[in-house]
Structure formats: structure tokens, C-alpha cells
Amino acid sequence: MKFSAAIALAALNGAAAFVAPKGPVASTQLAMSDYRTSVRDDIGVGSGGSPLYKTGGTARDLAEIWDNSSPVIVQGGSLRTWSFANPAIESVQVLLKTEGRPLDADVELWQGPDNTPHKMRVYVEDGALRTFNAVIGTPRGPNTVAIRNIGQLEFPLDAVVRPDRDDGLAAGIASVATRSETIQGGALRTYPFNPTVDSVAI
């Protein structure tokens, strides 16, 4: 009798070990993302941190370009093209961003009658915090710029492709460029910089 009472008591105590303790109930309500989608938000673009974006300088403010342009949404796995038939357009400006998701794209310049591509692979972990901006030379038109979003379908990107003007990014890069280096095929060259640097020009 004592033995069966001890087993029953042990069984009751053992069963209590499988009961979840009572605690505060977590809310399961869905919340909206708080990712910043504007280039101007909290990343110092156009604030004068970089020589490219000094107030009153020659470089065009990137936030102003995004605000005054109509970005084209390039869905994951799709291709969009921009053609420039005017031979007077010497360079075009390419701007890419996402809403905080990874940015994974191929940027190509199709030049000449045989559309020989010049290709650039772009990968950015957070396309809202670190937008991609480039100036591509397009002498002797007609030229076409193609952007292929090679990310997944769930990762669209916003793209602006426009002729670079005298007040554009190329003028700003040229004003601060101090030297150039030749990197041989198959070689790797790294450039360390301080964590306080907001942007770099390559």
C-alpha cells in the first residue's frame, strides 16, 4: 500500500514537470516593418559628411535625385532596360536601392550594333542603408543599360537610370579623385577604411 502510494505521488510530481509554467502572455499581433526607405533617412547622405555631398558643391544630392525621379521597380528574377539613342549623352547615372532587403543585381551596358555587354555584379546586404550609385560612360551612342534583379522574387529593387548631367555624380567623383591604380586580371586589391566613413567612390 505504501509502495503504490509512493508510485502515485511520484507520477503526479513527474507529470508536473511537463506542464509549462505560467508567465506573461506574448502578443501575437503583427507589426509593420520600420525600415527606412528614403535615402535621406538617418544615413548622412547629403549631410556634408562626404566631400561629394558638400552643401553648395557641384555634386547633385542623391536624396534629391530619388525624390525627383520615378523609380522603376525591378522584381526578383526580371530584367529592365533603358535605351539612350542620343550620342550627346556621354554618361548615365544608375541608382539602386531596396526597402532594407538584400540587393543582388547584374548591371550591363549594351553598346554598339552587336550589343557587346559590359557587366557589373552588385550585391548589398541592406539596400536601404547602403544604396548603390554608379556613373557609366556611354560614349558614341546608341547605348542600352540593362538591370537584371538576380535576387529572389520576394526581393524587388528600385532603379533610376538617367543621363548624368554636369552637376551629377561624375563631376563630384572627378573633383575628389586623387589617384588611380591598375588592377591586373585575376588580382585582388583591398582598400581598408575607417568605420566612420559614410560612402566611398570607386
Side-chain angles (χ1 to χ4, degrees):
M1 181 82 169
K2 288 183 181 180
F3 180 71
S4 58
I7 290 179
L9 184 59
L12 288 176
N13 286 340
F18 295 103
V19 176
K22 297 289 184 192
V25 177
S27 172
T28 59
Q29 179 181 2
L30 295 176
M32 290 184 62
S33 170
D34 63 347
Y35 282 113
R36 297 176 175 90
T37 58
S38 173
V39 178
R40 192 185 312 260
D41 291 342
D42 197 33
I43 60 172
V45 172
S47 64
S50 166
L52 293 176
Y53 306 109
K54 295 285 185 187
T55 304
T58 59
R60 189 176 180 93
D61 188 1
L62 292 178
E64 181 182 333
I65 293 172
W66 279 109
D67 292 342
N68 294 335
S69 301
S70 298
V72 174
I73 297 175
V74 184
Q75 298 292 341
S78 65
L79 172 74
R80 294 298 300 261
T81 60
W82 289 259
S83 294
F84 300 94
N86 187 349
I89 297 174
E90 292 290 325
S91 60
V92 296
Q93 192 168 2
V94 177
L95 298 94
L96 304 175
K97 72 174 182 174
T98 65
E99 294 183 355
R101 302 283 188 121
L103 188 156
D104 196 1
D106 281 336
V107 179
E108 297 179 2
L109 172 65
W110 300 341
Q111 192 172 33
D114 57 351
N115 284 339
T116 304
H118 301 264
K119 189 172 181 178
M120 179 184 342
R121 173 76 185 266
V122 178
Y123 180 80
V124 179
E125 189 65 34
D126 184 343
L129 184 62
R130 295 173 193 88
T131 61
F132 175 79
N133 311 295
V135 175
I136 301 174
T138 57
R140 302 176 307 276
N143 298 287
T144 299
V145 174
I147 297 177
R148 183 185 309 275
N149 185 349
I150 56 178
Q152 298 177 8
L153 181 64
E154 297 83 9
F155 299 153
L157 62 87
D158 293 337
V160 172
V161 179
R162 57 186 283 279
D164 188 56
R165 300 182 180 95
D166 292 337
D167 60 349
L169 186 61
I173 291 173
S175 69
V176 299
T178 57
R179 64 187 176 113
S180 64
E181 292 184 30
T182 301
I183 301 174
Q184 299 295 333
L188 173 67
R189 178 75 167 94
T190 61
Y191 300 88
F193 51 88
N194 194 311
T196 60
V197 172
D198 287 335
S199 63
V200 295
I202 299 173

